[in-house]
Amino acid sequence: MRILVIEDEKKITDFIKRGLKEEGYAVDVAYDGQEGHFLAKTNKYDLILLDLMLPKIDGLTLCKKIKEEDPATPIIILTAKDTVKDKVTGLDSGADDYLTKPFAFEELLARIRAILRKKDTKSPTKLQVDDLVLDLLTHKIRRGGKEIILTAKEYTLLEYLMRNAGTVVTRTMISEHVWDMNFDTFTNVIDVYINYLRNKIDADFEKKLIHTIRGRGYTIKG
Ligand code: CA
């Protein structure tokens, strides 16, 4: 899951970015409305966190713009404005949710999870491929009843593969959804992480779930 944070206060972006990365999200940051608009147009984000008081393009204008160009990308507005009128204006401009600063990080995480679940029409709380089960709420992974411990990045990669189970995901798709914009697509980092996952998920089992599709990418299937 890749998230764009558009916010000009560096203290807040650092705090959000660090927290989200610890949860395994890939995070890009823009410090003004123009840069935010550019990134939202160029990359595929699963969710955007948007401040209202921004240099160059203000948050409400930007929210409308992004929603016109890409209605499917959910937007959560983060702002110090907390009057009812401001909330209504924010939601009327197309935002999916609204969070008033200062906020508890746990609340931000819960709202992000809720929106990402809503986006998923089936609203699953678990993903399953054969005897491999990933719990989207607790982040616990089990194969054949045995718990598997993954790092945050490995978890995000596995979640992405499992959300697309049975279909081939290319390295480009993986880099767009699992890594941030500083990711160098010419490195073999994705292959390295696939190997980490294989060691944890497939090595001890006769039936392999992660498959390489030569020249195209990877797939996970039972
Ligand atoms: Ca601001």
Side-chain angles (χ1 to χ4, degrees):
M1 292 286 147
R2 186 173 177 184
I3 294 178
L4 173 63
V5 182
I6 311 174
E7 158 73 78
D8 58 326
E9 279 168 75
K10 198 165 180 304
K11 246 167 65 185
I12 298 178
T13 55
D14 286 351
F15 161 73
I16 294 176
K17 186 170 183 172
R18 193 173 55 237
L20 290 178
K21 281 185 123 171
E22 278 170 13
E23 293 293 314
Y25 294 103
V27 183
D28 290 339
V29 174
Y31 296 99
D32 64 60
Q34 211 172 351
E35 189 191 3
H37 186 221
F38 174 76
L39 288 179
K41 262 169 71 175
T42 354
N43 300 310
K44 289 193 189 78
Y45 292 102
D46 298 292
L47 188 136
I48 296 174
L49 300 178
L50 176 64
D51 181 33
L52 285 189
M53 307 283 273
L54 284 170
K56 295 188 184 171
I57 304 174
D58 72 88
L60 283 179
T61 308
L62 185 53
C63 185
K64 283 187 205 140
K65 257 188 210 238
I66 294 173
K67 281 292 181 182
E68 270 167 28
E69 289 160 1
D70 181 13
T73 303
I75 297 178
I76 300 179
I77 284 180
L78 302 175
T79 180
K81 293 184 171 183
D82 62 354
T83 67
V84 172
K85 187 169 169 285
D86 288 329
K87 285 185 187 173
V88 170
T89 315
L91 294 170
D92 280 349
S93 69
D96 298 84
D97 202 356
Y98 201 108
L99 197 54
T100 307
K101 292 189 273 193
F103 52 83
F105 193 72
E106 284 305 311
E107 187 180 358
L108 174 64
L109 279 181
R111 286 178 188 245
I112 290 174
R113 281 197 299 265
I115 283 189
L116 293 177
R117 268 205 304 279
K118 234 188 281 170
K119 207 180 148 199
D120 239 312
T121 44
K122 284 176 291 176
S123 305
T125 55
K126 284 189 173 132
L127 301 172
Q128 183 156 8
V129 174
D130 205 77
D131 58 351
L132 177 68
V133 180
L134 181 149
D135 188 318
L136 291 163
L137 299 179
T138 62
H139 284 205
K140 282 209 163 74
I141 292 135
R142 293 183 164 274
R143 181 156 186 201
K146 184 184 151 216
E147 186 170 352
I148 295 167
I149 308 291
L150 299 182
T151 64
K153 205 45 140 186
E154 290 164 357
Y155 174 89
T156 310
L157 176 57
L158 181 64
E159 182 191 335
Y160 186 66
L161 289 172
M162 290 180 80
R163 280 187 187 274
N164 295 284
T167 61
V168 179
V169 294
T170 64
R171 284 180 183 76
T172 307
M173 287 161 74
I174 293 174
S175 70
E176 280 174 353
H177 286 274
V178 180
W179 271 273
D180 62 37
M181 64 179 180
N182 300 314
F183 182 73
D184 179 357
T185 43
F186 296 103
T187 66
N188 65 344
V189 171
I190 291 173
D191 309 78
V192 170
Y193 272 87
I194 290 280
N195 273 332
Y196 291 157
L197 277 186
R198 281 193 162 126
N199 283 334
K200 292 185 177 180
I201 283 163
D202 278 342
D204 295 341
F205 294 85
E206 200 172 327
K207 186 172 184 184
K208 309 301 177 198
L209 301 179
I210 299 172
H211 306 272
T212 305
I213 312 296
R214 194 176 285 274
R216 295 184 61 205
Y218 298 99
T219 187
I220 192 163
K221 59 176 190 223

